[in-house]
Amino acid sequence: GELVVFMPESNSPQLYVSKAYRKMVRDRGVDRGARQFLRNNIRSAQWLISAIEQRRETVLRVVVEVFKVQRDFLDHGREALKPLPMADVAEKVGVHVATVSRAVAGKYVDTPRGIFPLRMFFSGGTTTAEGDDVSWDAVKARLKEIVDGEDKSKPLNDDQLAEELKKHGIDIARRTIAKYRGLLDIPPARKRRQY
């Protein structure tokens, strides 16, 4: 039941400055200009190595904070996603929002539920009638679940879908239902009817 977050070491190569170059910097027999050139480039390389390690640490800290909030996702799936603004995670990690955005761009997380883009775990949301926070992705997942389980000979229109969501404590407007149906490629009721 304990949450463990880690980054596999095998995915990133071990970066270091060659011993031969470090030795040349100290060797008085090497031309002074060459030593200065090496010294400058070794300093740049060390800065780059440090920056890469710092980014790696930032990504790890961000993922830990994300799953402190999104823990229920691991047990219940998309329906359990909570609203999570990047600004909240940035504040907890102690970095700028833009740093979090860059850190998660193009990154994926391997969970027991599958592999997902890290950006998926950040979203806005709403509050249910019971006072629980739910993300817009969770609302969409619940909407899809309702449509998948409906009587196909009498599919639910947008007003009825809104009423069904309200039964689950999610109160959103009919026009929002229409928007999410479009995003999920769910046709209107008249086109979902099966005879």
Side-chain angles (χ1 to χ4, degrees), residues 66-67 69-70 73-74 81-85 89 108-109 111 114-123 135 137:
V66 164
F67 282 100
V69 174
Q70 303 293 15
F73 165 82
L74 298 173
L81 283 173
K82 294 182 173 72
L84 182 60
V89 172
Y108 290 80
V109 60
T111 72
I115 298 173
F116 299 94
L118 192 48
R119 200 171 281 281
M120 179 190 90
F121 297 96
F122 295 94
S123 70
S135 75
D137 283 344

Side-chain angles (χ1 to χ4, degrees), residues 1 11 20 24 38 49 57 66 87 107 111 126 128 135 148 151 155 164 166 180 190-191:
N11 291 352
M24 286 174 70
L38 285 170
I49 291 167
E57 288 298 316
V66 164
K107 306 291 187 312
T111 72
T126 188
T128 66
S135 75
D148 288 347
D151 178 358
E164 285 296 314
K166 195 177 271 190
Y180 286 175
R190 61 181 164 42
K191 291 187 177 179

Side-chain angles (χ1 to χ4, degrees), residues 6-191:
F6 66 94
M7 292 178 70
E9 294 292 327
S10 62
N11 291 352
S12 53
Q14 183 63 37
L15 300 175
Y16 59 92
V17 176
S18 167
K19 288 180 185 177
Y21 289 133
R22 285 186 294 175
K23 185 178 176 184
M24 286 174 70
V25 166
R26 293 187 304 271
D27 185 354
R28 296 257 184 226
V30 175
D31 177 63
R32 183 182 189 137
R35 285 187 308 175
Q36 186 60 40
F37 174 80
L38 285 170
R39 195 174 294 118
N40 289 341
N41 284 296
I42 287 172
R43 195 174 306 124
S44 294
Q46 288 170 331
W47 178 87
L48 179 62
I49 291 167
S50 173
I52 290 170
E53 185 55 36
Q54 187 176 358
R55 173 62 61 92
R56 182 177 164 76
E57 288 298 316
T58 299
V59 170
L60 187 60
R61 289 177 26 226
V62 165
V63 173
V64 167
E65 287 302 323
V66 164
F67 282 100
K68 282 181 183 176
V69 174
Q70 303 293 15
R71 170 78 171 141
D72 290 344
F73 165 82
L74 298 173
D75 298 325
H76 306 290
R78 283 183 180 256
E79 310 83 56
L81 283 173
K82 294 182 173 72
L84 182 60
M86 278 190 187
D88 291 0
V89 172
E91 186 177 317
K92 288 178 183 170
V93 172
V95 296
H96 193 274
V97 174
T99 303
V100 172
S101 181
R102 284 191 309 271
V104 302
K107 306 291 187 312
Y108 290 80
V109 60
D110 187 4
T111 72
R113 293 205 163 266
I115 298 173
F116 299 94
L118 192 48
R119 200 171 281 281
M120 179 190 90
F121 297 96
F122 295 94
S123 70
T126 188
T127 304
T128 66
E130 294 83 31
D132 297 327
D133 290 332
V134 291
S135 75
W136 294 126
D137 283 344
V139 173
K140 288 182 220 171
R142 179 71 69 182
L143 175 62
K144 182 162 179 17
E145 186 179 292
I146 291 168
V147 170
D148 288 347
E150 73 186 352
D151 178 358
K152 298 301 178 193
S153 65
K154 296 180 213 161
L156 304 171
N157 63 33
D158 291 346
D159 288 320
Q160 292 166 322
L161 289 170
E163 285 302 315
E164 285 296 314
L165 282 171
K166 195 177 271 190
K167 289 177 186 175
H168 294 324
I170 302 169
D171 190 11
I172 59 174
R174 182 207 53 78
R175 67 183 175 278
T176 306
I177 299 287
K179 174 183 166 185
Y180 286 175
R181 261 193 321 90
L183 291 171
L184 295 167
D185 291 325
I186 298 171
R190 61 181 164 42
K191 291 187 177 179

